[in-house]
Amino acid sequence: ELQQKVEEAEVLKMELQMLETERVRLSLVEEKLMDVLQLLQQLRDLNISKRALGKILLSTLESCRDPQPGKAQLFEVLDTLQQELAACELLHKQPREQAQSPQSLSNPLVISC
């Protein structure tokens, strides 16, 4: 009976460890998702075109087509999307340059992300 209790305790300890690992992973995904959402909000406020956003998303999905071993695919996609959005030139332009005509903002050749 004592041996059974020890085995049960070991199983519970392993389950607790797995739950803690999953909690940490979900926390990291949540943080990355918040970063992506903040960048999307900034780009929306700068009136980035839907076409440019679509190109960023498609580029992200294309680069994550073959998942890297040992990396969770969801986190990899979020991480890549966050990097692609952060690299968008529109976020790094001076306010004076942002005052250009709306035509230039919707031209995908002008916005190189």
Side-chain angles (χ1 to χ4, degrees), residues 23-83:
R23 186 192 66 76
V24 169
R25 188 186 73 79
L26 288 174
S27 179
L28 292 172
V29 168
E30 181 183 25
E31 287 177 24
K32 190 59 68 173
L33 185 57
M34 290 302 295
D35 291 345
V36 166
L37 292 174
Q38 287 174 347
L39 287 168
L40 285 171
Q41 181 70 39
Q42 289 175 1
L43 289 170
R44 188 190 75 173
D45 292 345
L46 295 172
N47 295 321
I48 190 171
S49 71
K50 291 178 183 178
R51 171 179 260 158
L53 279 175
K55 285 183 178 184
I56 292 170
L57 182 58
L58 289 175
S59 170
T60 298
L61 293 174
E62 183 66 31
S63 68
C64 295
R65 177 177 285 183
D66 300 321
Q68 297 176 2
K71 223 178 170 187
Q73 188 171 9
L74 173 64
F75 190 78
E76 182 182 351
V77 170
L78 282 175
D79 190 44
T80 304
L81 181 58
Q82 189 263 337
Q83 291 172 10

